[in-house]
Amino acid sequence: MNTNEIAELQKKYLMPTYAPTVALVEGAGTSVWDAEGNEYLDFSTGVAVTNIGHCHPKMIHAIQDQVETLVHVSNLYFNEKQPLLAKQLSEKSGLPGAKVFFCNSGAEANEGLIKLARLWGSKEGKYEIVTMRQSFHGRTLATLTATGQEKVQTGFAPLPTGFSYANFNDLKSVEEAIHSKTAAVLVEALQGEGGVIPGDPEFMTGLRKLCDEKGILLLFDEVQCGIGRTGKWFGFQHYPIEPDAFSMAKGLGNGFPIGGVVAGEKLADIFQPGNHATTFGGTPLACSAALAVLEVIEEEELLANTLMMGAYLVEGLCEIAMKHKKWISGVRGLGLLIGLVLDVPALPLQKKLLEKGVLSIATAGNVLRLLPPLNVSQEEIDQALKLIGEACAELHGEMAEQSPNPCKCGMGK
Ligand SMILES: *Cc1c(COP(=O)(O)O)cnc(C)c1O
């Protein structure tokens, strides 16, 4: 089928929750191809999911071998892949005595995290969770309530109770949101959907101290930042702190659906039989895919590559930003989770880049989010930078005209 035929079929039979324009049919490494055979550099990685690139041979073999052996048995029985994967994640988390619960998506992982915090707090009558404005935690009823963005919540009232909101990177506002019923604070190391905003080190260390003083939990949503995306296994590892528990999903299966909750000692044995469950979570197939992902990240030293290539991409983007000071205000991010921050809407730039063969994501209105795979090469970044530079040059007149602040200079606003 060509793109028009696919679009027609989709329009007729799929709920219009998304509005895509390109049909992708094949991928290899950092490249993907559309139905007409056009190649794109994938700097969106299915929203921080395909961290080791498309169709990595290790991943293909792991899935093929497991499909031929055993796909699913439910959690009524042991399956050796699950504890093997949990051991890896427990060790990589650095949390002493950490244990894991597997599920299938980011929202589901956060649901588990929320239930874990509530069950922990229930003996003292604590249940409320403080989350951050501009955060993103998912689309189920509890997680969209945890998400501090009105646009995600509109139309879905009545929302579950038990959440309150504070400002990210503003310790005082978190302190003000905590009261006698508060069980936990939930935060991202870097707000991805919120506009690629890294947490300030003082905020993160202050949060840990505050939660300890108040006797409440500090929880991290690592769904987007986790599994090497920021150059560490988990985003919180950029700060000298440990959370009590965290969620993960996106990059864990490189596109094979799998999520999970990792809990340190204090929370590792709170869930007992009957408290929480899943039919699909942690199938032999999903765990085999995830084990392959972790092995590739380790063997190919992709954490180091992420930091190196991230710095290289930021440097190139800064050069481009300097040429377009009238409408680009800076570059920010961690590892290979990078935002080019504009003074104008980012959608026209995302569209122009798509035409030129680079996939990116316009986020939070004015941020162009760039998320290449963690094994991206310098040549691929050079190619993307060349095309981003061209796209910016072509849009310069139109964008500068719209910019509310056309004389401003300086970086990293
Ligand atoms: C994507 C995302 C989620 C939701 O994950 P789904 O798999 O789409 O349910 C939750 N939290 C963060 C930080 C995310 O980026």
Side-chain angles (χ1 to χ4, degrees):
M1 284 196 286
N2 66 31
T3 301
N4 285 338
E5 290 163 345
I6 297 168
E8 280 304 307
L9 203 61
Q10 170 135 344
K11 201 171 155 206
K12 196 157 176 204
Y13 292 110
L14 276 156
M15 294 190 192
T17 49
Y18 287 83
T21 56
V22 170
L24 299 175
V25 296
E26 204 179 322
T30 307
S31 291
V32 287
W33 287 266
D34 69 15
E36 281 68 40
N38 300 305
E39 184 174 351
Y40 303 82
L41 275 173
D42 188 359
F43 276 39
S44 67
T45 46
V47 198
V49 168
T50 51
N51 282 2
I52 60 169
H54 295 281
C55 300
H56 193 289
K58 271 256 159 79
M59 171 114 187
I60 293 174
H61 292 135
I63 291 178
Q64 274 177 348
D65 288 350
Q66 193 60 49
V67 159
E68 289 172 5
T69 311
L70 187 68
V71 172
H72 172 90
V73 292
S74 86
N75 288 297
L76 301 175
Y77 310 96
F78 289 127
N79 92 64
E80 65 178 6
K81 301 293 178 191
Q82 212 179 117
L84 285 171
L85 177 60
K87 177 175 188 283
Q88 291 273 327
L89 292 164
S90 172
E91 287 168 6
K92 288 174 183 14
S93 77
L95 309 186
K99 293 186 183 177
V100 184
F101 174 84
F102 288 112
C103 57
N104 311 285
S105 71
E108 206 188 339
N110 284 329
E111 287 274 345
L113 198 60
I114 292 163
K115 282 181 71 180
L116 187 63
R118 284 200 181 176
L119 191 58
W120 172 83
S122 63
K123 53 188 182 309
E124 291 174 45
K126 293 178 171 182
Y127 56 84
E128 196 161 282
I129 298 180
V130 177
T131 66
M132 304 301 134
R133 294 194 178 88
Q134 272 188 279
S135 60
F136 186 81
H137 299 298
R139 298 287 192 154
T140 61
L141 277 171
T143 59
L144 74 81
T145 308
T147 294
Q149 298 188 47
E150 222 169 273
K151 66 171 197 232
V152 171
Q153 302 174 343
T154 303
F156 299 109
L159 300 180
T161 52
F163 295 92
S164 65
Y165 308 99
N167 296 330
F168 191 56
N169 284 335
D170 178 351
L171 198 59
K172 196 154 175 292
S173 91
V174 180
E175 194 165 1
E176 284 165 5
I178 294 172
H179 55 82
S180 63
K181 301 289 181 203
T182 305
V185 174
L186 171 62
V187 71
E188 295 157 86
L190 172 154
Q191 290 191 326
E193 306 297 315
V196 192
I197 305 168
D200 292 337
E202 314 80 64
F203 177 67
M204 293 300 176
T205 50
L207 265 188
R208 180 69 273 180
K209 206 164 149 259
L210 182 62
C211 290
D212 288 342
E213 281 166 12
K214 304 275 183 188
I216 62 174
L217 305 172
L218 177 57
L219 309 175
F220 270 70
D221 179 340
E222 290 282 346
V223 171
Q224 186 157 159
C225 294
I227 319 295
R229 177 48 59 186
T230 69
K232 306 265 188 189
W233 280 108
F234 300 102
F236 67 80
Q237 292 168 339
H238 285 277
Y239 310 96
I241 56 159
E242 283 176 355
D244 295 297
F246 63 90
S247 57
M248 61 193 168
K250 289 196 164 94
L252 181 56
N254 206 56
F256 200 96
I258 178 168
V261 178
V262 179
E265 255 163 350
K266 195 195 291 186
L267 297 175
D269 293 311
I270 293 288
F271 280 152
Q272 291 292 312
N275 287 142
H276 196 46
T278 167
T279 300
F280 289 130
T283 65
L285 186 54
C287 292
S288 293
L291 278 164
V293 170
L294 300 184
E295 197 178 306
V296 168
I297 293 176
E298 217 142 47
E299 273 180 8
E300 298 182 13
E301 298 178 16
L302 297 187
L303 298 183
N305 193 64
T306 298
L307 291 172
M308 214 156 60
M309 289 301 115
Y312 186 73
L313 179 53
V314 165
E315 198 183 300
L317 289 171
C318 283
E319 276 174 33
I320 292 170
M322 292 305 279
K323 285 194 192 133
H324 301 280
K325 278 181 201 162
K326 282 185 174 160
W327 56 279
I328 301 181
S329 65
V331 182
R332 65 187 175 214
L334 280 173
L336 283 169
L337 212 177
I338 296 169
L340 183 65
V341 187
L342 315 185
D343 292 329
V344 293
L347 203 56
L349 182 54
Q350 181 204 294
K351 284 186 177 159
K352 178 67 85 180
L353 278 172
L354 183 69
E355 281 168 30
K356 290 188 166 288
V358 180
L359 306 185
S360 62
I361 306 175
T363 306
N366 67 323
V367 179
L368 188 82
R369 190 167 30 156
L370 296 163
L371 308 149
L374 312 185
N375 52 6
V376 68
S377 69
Q378 191 165 322
E379 292 71 39
E380 287 164 338
I381 290 184
D382 284 335
Q383 177 67 9
L385 283 169
K386 178 176 155 274
L387 295 171
I388 295 167
E390 285 175 19
C392 289
E394 286 168 31
L395 286 174
H396 184 77
E398 180 192 324
M399 301 290 244
E401 196 145 296
Q402 287 175 37
S403 176
N405 196 6
C407 300
K408 182 188 47 56
C409 304
M411 302 289 301
K413 187 172 74 182

